[in-house]
């Protein structure tokens, strides 16, 4: 990494170069223009504005520097309200993403944002940034090892893995739309709780029970009354397509689900449980000492792995 204008944050130039040549990145960047579209809609921070009853999405916005004429995302080391206003700098999209991928920022660093259809602008903490499915996949690609290829040890497992039918995908998508309409007006964690309850009362649960053979994906428990159909990426953090994607789901026992939901555990790309945040005593008392402590690999697909990567990013597993 190299220092950038003697700021406290760091730009990884090698990563920047890789991003520039990445076709997925080019697709995302292609949606940006200035001045026709100054808002970067793939990323946002939720914010409760004073003049709105509902939370709004505040998006990073391209700004033109009055002195140099450079167009970029205005980054503020130390925060928007910092007295060190001379510290603000304009960054390209690839530079901004390299900071996010490497987490080379402080918790109070901000990026200039505005919410849609409003002239109001301000800084929002970059640590609170959320992303859509395409950008999440791009970030995960560089934050973690590449997903298994056809030549990897997972090749047979992936090719033999059962898949959701088009009808099941349609059912889950429709269910997600109905739930989203029902919980309109609720916020954050409250949305997650209500959505999860309704998901487990309807067709989504049946689809997940069928896929996982009425068995906890990790422990092998077969008591359906103790199994929860859970989103991997929480409802409030998911885009519309992610909410309606059956691969964004696991069937877990109530204990494994609770820990996973709270970000106390996660799973790696092989499905192996990451229990580092739990003490040996906690693992023993909760009965987590099952034979393999891993998701059944004959059910784990590339799509599941992508959502598990997002779960690890969300809960800071490294």
């Amino acid at each position: 990494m190299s220092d950038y204008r003697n700021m406290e944050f760091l730009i990884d130039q090698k990563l920047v170069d890789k991003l520039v040549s990445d076709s997925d990145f080019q697709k995302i960047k292609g949606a940006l223009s200035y001045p026709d579209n100054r808002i970067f809609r793939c990323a946002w921070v939720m914010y409760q504005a004073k003049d709105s009853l509902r939370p709004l999405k505040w998006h990073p916005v391209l700004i033109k520097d009055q002195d140099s004429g450079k167009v970029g995302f205005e980054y503020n080391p130390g925060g928007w309200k910092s007295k060190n206003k001379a510290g603000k700098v304009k960054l390209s999209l690839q530079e901004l993403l390299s900071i996010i991928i490497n987490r080379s920022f402080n918790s109070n660093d901000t990026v200039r944002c505005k919410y849609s259809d409003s002239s109001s602008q301000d800084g929002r903490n970059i640590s609170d940034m959320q992303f859509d499915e395409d950008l999440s996949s791009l970030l995960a690609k560089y934050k973690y090892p590449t997903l298994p290829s056809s030549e990897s040890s997972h090749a047979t497992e992936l090719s033999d893995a059962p898949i959701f039918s088009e009808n099941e995908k349609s059912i889950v998508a429709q269910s997600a739309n109905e739930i989203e309409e029902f919980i309109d007006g609720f916020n954050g964690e409250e949305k997650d709780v209500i959505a999860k309850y309704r998901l487990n009362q309807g067709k989504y649960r049946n689809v997940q029970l069928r896929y996982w053979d009425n068995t906890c994906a990790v422990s092998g428990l077969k008591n359906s009354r103790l199994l929860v159909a859970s989103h991997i990426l929480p409802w409030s953090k998911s885009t519309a397509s992610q909410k309606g994607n059956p691969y964004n789901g696991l069937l877990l026992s109530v204990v494994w689900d609770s820990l996973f939901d709270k970000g106390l555990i996660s799973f790696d790309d092989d499905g192996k449980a990451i229990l580092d945040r739990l003490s040996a005593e906690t693992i023993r008392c909760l009965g987590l000492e099952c034979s393999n402590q891993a998701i059944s690999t004959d059910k784990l697909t590339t799509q599941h792995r992508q959502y598990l990567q997002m779960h690890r990013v969300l809960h800071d597993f490294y």
Side-chain angles (χ1 to χ4, degrees):
M1 294 186 183
S2 58
D3 197 2
Y4 187 84
R5 298 192 187 183
N6 297 317
M7 298 297 175
E8 293 181 1
F9 61 92
L10 296 173
I11 301 292
D12 186 341
Q13 192 56 50
K14 290 183 178 179
L15 176 57
V16 167
D17 294 339
K18 287 181 180 179
L19 286 169
V20 170
S21 61
D22 188 295
S23 59
D24 293 332
F25 171 81
Q26 289 295 338
K27 178 183 176 182
I28 291 171
K29 187 178 180 182
L32 281 173
S33 62
Y34 186 95
D36 295 335
N37 176 22
R38 297 170 61 192
I39 293 179
F40 183 38
R41 297 186 183 276
C42 292
W44 65 87
V45 174
M46 298 303 295
Y47 182 73
Q48 184 64 57
K50 294 180 180 179
D51 56 349
S52 175
L53 297 177
R54 299 176 58 188
L56 301 170
K57 286 185 177 180
W58 285 63
H59 302 269
V61 58
L62 287 165
I63 303 288
K64 179 179 287 186
D65 189 279
Q66 295 180 350
D67 297 325
S68 66
K70 179 179 178 179
V71 175
F73 296 99
E74 188 168 276
Y75 188 77
N76 296 272
W80 179 255
K81 296 181 180 180
S82 169
K83 295 181 180 180
N84 183 26
K85 291 297 179 66
K88 64 185 180 183
V89 63
K90 304 296 187 297
L91 299 179
S92 66
L93 177 58
Q94 55 266 31
E95 289 172 331
L96 181 65
L97 293 185
S98 79
I99 292 172
I100 293 171
I101 291 170
N102 287 319
R103 298 187 65 83
S104 57
F105 55 82
N106 293 316
S107 59
N108 57 346
D109 289 358
T110 58
V111 62
R112 189 81 168 267
C113 290
K114 63 184 287 187
Y115 52 79
S116 302
D117 305 320
S118 171
S119 59
S120 179
Q121 300 182 125
D122 208 340
R124 295 286 167 248
N125 285 0
I126 194 169
S127 57
D128 295 332
M129 204 68 71
Q130 300 175 44
F131 314 102
D132 72 4
E133 188 169 8
D134 289 339
L135 185 53
S136 292
S137 297
L138 177 68
L139 297 177
K141 182 193 299 186
Y142 289 94
K143 196 174 185 73
Y144 294 99
T146 305
L147 291 174
S149 68
S150 59
E151 299 177 355
S152 76
S153 60
H154 293 296
T156 301
E157 296 161 5
L158 290 179
S159 62
D160 292 339
I163 59 175
F164 293 101
S165 69
E166 291 304 314
N167 182 55
E168 286 174 323
K169 291 178 183 177
S170 176
I171 286 173
V172 173
Q174 181 181 356
S175 176
N177 290 335
E178 292 171 354
I179 292 172
E180 187 64 17
E181 292 178 4
F182 178 84
I183 63 177
D184 184 37
F186 292 95
N187 302 320
E189 187 175 343
E190 197 171 31
K191 269 191 174 184
D192 285 334
V193 172
I194 299 173
K196 190 164 192 172
Y197 173 79
R198 293 189 70 86
L199 286 169
N200 276 276
Q201 298 301 311
K203 296 176 181 177
Y204 173 80
R205 174 178 173 82
N206 293 333
V207 169
Q208 294 295 339
L209 284 169
R210 196 282 304 171
Y211 183 86
W212 296 99
D213 297 326
N214 296 283
T215 304
C216 172
V218 183
S219 67
L221 180 70
K222 292 182 178 294
N223 188 332
S224 61
R225 291 182 297 177
L226 298 176
L227 298 179
V228 180
S230 181
H231 265 52
I232 299 173
L233 193 63
W235 188 274
S236 60
K237 303 292 185 183
S238 297
T239 64
S241 62
Q242 290 168 340
K243 290 169 183 171
N245 190 333
Y247 290 101
N248 183 19
L250 292 174
L251 189 67
L252 299 172
S253 73
V254 289
V255 174
W256 283 91
D257 169 74
S258 180
L259 294 168
F260 184 67
D261 219 25
K262 292 177 171 62
L264 295 175
I265 66 169
S266 192
F267 299 91
D268 65 18
D269 282 340
D270 293 318
K272 184 175 175 57
I274 303 172
L275 306 177
D276 298 350
R277 295 180 178 176
L278 305 179
S279 67
E281 180 67 9
T282 298
I283 292 173
R284 185 188 66 79
C285 289
L286 292 177
L288 304 182
E289 298 169 311
C290 52
S291 58
N292 56 10
Q293 295 180 327
I295 298 172
S296 174
T297 53
D298 65 338
K299 298 282 189 179
L300 193 62
T301 67
T302 298
Q303 295 96 318
H304 286 112
R305 288 183 170 93
Q306 290 174 334
Y307 281 105
L308 288 174
Q309 286 182 336
M310 295 179 204
H311 183 270
R312 296 196 299 268
V313 171
L314 177 65
H315 294 290
D316 293 327
F317 283 89
Y318 299 102

